[in-house]
Amino acid sequence: MKNATLHQLKVFEAVARHKSFTRAAEELFLTQPTVSMQVKQLSKAVGLPLFEQVGKRLYLTEAGKELYATCREVFERLSQFEISIANLKGLKQGTLRLAVVTTAKYVIPRLLGPFCLRYPGIDVSLTVDNHERIIDSLIDNRDDLYILSQPPEDLDVAIHPFLENPLVVLASCNHPLAHEKNIALKRISEEPFIMREPGSGTRKSVQKLFDEQGLTLNVKLDLGSNEAIKQAIAGGLGISVLSLHTLALEGTNSPLTILDVESFPIQRYWYVIYPAGKQLSIITQAFFDYLLNEGKTVAEQTAFQGIFGQGRTVENG
Ligand code: PGA
């Protein structure tokens, strides 16, 4: 293994975790031929094949399984080493790795502004993905802190709520229901509906509410992006339920409006989450304290001016 490099191990680990060269390439921002080449060279250094392809599926060989377990140990040790070094450097220098669900991308970058001004030597890596993929990162312990609206029930984690994240019904401003009051949920279930993709936490919450009422949504379209859904609503394709925070930068001329629907807004929180017992670096601890102590105030200072400017109000928004 003398000729193997840390980079090759990282590439191999990603392929083994995803069981896919394509997804590993996407995660690492590499091309697929580069990923294949790195794995091929590593396999040569090991002297045995690391993967085998059966039909369309990729499997680890016995040697691959051994190497995968070794990689996990090596990277775990390296991340502990990074924490020790970061702590020696204090808050002057280091990296903060955050993984957040897509609704939180409307707030976390704004909260990072004042934090990074306070600690200019800190670099931030921010991963934004849907609920299911952020849970995968949490299970793999890939980041320092995780922000989710639905804490996992089956994982041993520390959970701290820090900000409300209500879900509201959005429609185009000229939708026939735009000026109605207290619209029945059943009426909403009859409208063409644009739904977030499977794996989304927003989707889960919407589905749960309608299931509890015994109602079936008239889903016309699945879209994997809050922004794409907003555009589709504006384009008259239907209505949807999204986080109120997705309206954060909508100006006074926004083509979207919030419908007044019974049982809405769905009240939820964002939670800062990390694996129970995980040792937080000084930088991570500083951001954690900042979120819990100042996050709400900083978020509210800049939130929803556009939407409130139009005279539309939302309870608990
Ligand atoms: P989503 O998560 O991006 O998975 O919909 C949002 C949330 O649960 O708030």
Side-chain angles (χ1 to χ4, degrees):
M1 286 292 283
K2 276 206 306 283
N3 296 329
T5 65
L6 199 56
H7 179 61
Q8 285 168 352
L9 292 180
K10 274 197 184 142
V11 172
F12 165 76
E13 191 275 337
V15 178
R17 178 160 37 82
H18 289 297
K19 297 200 175 50
S20 155
F21 283 85
T22 314
R23 286 205 61 191
E26 279 166 15
E27 179 182 304
L28 299 170
F29 300 108
L30 295 173
T31 62
Q32 202 178 321
T34 308
V35 169
S36 303
M37 181 54 74
Q38 295 294 317
V39 171
K40 204 168 163 191
Q41 284 168 356
L42 185 60
S43 168
K44 209 165 150 200
V46 172
L48 286 170
L50 301 171
F51 294 103
E52 59 195 357
Q53 181 101 30
V54 180
K56 283 195 172 159
R57 297 195 60 183
L58 196 63
Y59 293 90
L60 282 165
T61 59
E62 276 310 307
K65 283 183 195 158
E66 283 290 327
L67 185 60
Y68 186 46
T70 308
C71 277
R72 304 289 293 228
E73 282 171 31
V74 168
F75 291 132
E76 181 60 36
R77 281 295 298 137
L78 276 176
S79 107
Q80 282 166 13
F81 170 75
E82 271 172 20
I83 291 178
S84 311
I85 293 299
N87 288 346
L88 288 175
K89 288 179 183 162
L91 289 161
K92 288 202 201 79
Q93 210 187 331
T95 305
L96 172 67
R97 278 176 309 226
L98 302 174
V100 313
V101 284
T102 69
T103 51
K105 80 174 172 207
Y106 296 92
V107 162
I108 295 300
R110 265 189 292 136
L111 295 183
L112 279 169
F115 181 78
C116 292
L117 273 182
R118 200 174 296 170
Y119 305 112
I122 294 178
D123 295 327
V124 181
S125 145
L126 178 66
T127 302
V128 180
D129 222 322
N130 72 18
H131 175 86
E132 202 167 278
R133 297 212 197 100
I134 298 298
I135 292 281
D136 288 345
S137 309
L138 173 64
I139 293 170
D140 290 335
N141 193 17
R142 265 183 261 150
D143 296 276
D144 297 322
L145 291 176
Y146 305 83
I147 293 177
L148 293 151
S149 304
Q150 291 166 9
E153 281 162 14
D154 47 350
L155 298 176
D156 192 10
V157 287
I159 301 168
H160 300 266
F162 77 97
L163 193 63
E164 293 94 345
N165 176 24
L167 296 182
V168 294
V169 185
L170 294 180
S172 147
C173 278
N174 44 30
H175 193 281
L177 294 175
H179 299 290
E180 285 197 23
K181 293 271 167 258
N182 204 17
I183 303 162
L185 216 49
K186 179 155 188 331
R187 181 75 187 74
I188 293 300
S189 71
E190 289 157 1
E191 284 294 314
F193 196 88
I194 310 162
M195 189 63 125
R196 280 285 307 276
E197 78 288 0
S200 146
T202 306
R203 178 186 175 113
K204 266 195 199 139
S205 297
V206 176
Q207 199 70 61
K208 181 162 169 271
L209 174 69
F210 284 83
D211 284 353
E212 280 168 0
Q213 303 296 322
L215 295 169
T216 308
L217 279 160
N218 176 18
V219 178
K220 286 286 174 216
L221 194 61
D222 267 8
L223 280 181
S225 139
N226 298 315
E227 288 304 306
I229 291 184
K230 282 163 59 183
Q231 295 296 332
I233 298 170
L237 286 176
I239 62 170
S240 187
V241 173
L242 292 179
S243 165
L244 176 64
H245 291 268
T246 62
L247 302 176
L249 292 183
E250 291 293 317
T252 44
N253 292 326
S254 171
L256 308 178
T257 192
I258 299 168
L259 296 186
D260 181 7
V261 180
E262 65 170 345
S263 307
F264 276 89
I266 301 178
Q267 291 302 351
R268 309 156 87 221
Y269 283 85
W270 279 307
Y271 300 88
V272 195
I273 293 176
Y274 55 87
K278 181 179 168 96
Q279 185 202 348
L280 300 187
S281 71
I282 290 180
I283 291 172
T284 308
Q285 187 67 50
F287 187 68
F288 177 84
D289 294 342
Y290 165 77
L291 266 190
L292 262 56
N293 299 329
E294 301 170 58
K296 190 170 160 70
T297 316
V298 179
E300 283 176 358
Q301 275 163 1
T302 45
F304 313 125
Q305 281 154 359
I307 205 85
F308 285 137
Q310 293 184 14
R312 302 168 192 160
T313 53
V314 174
E315 280 171 52
N316 302 312

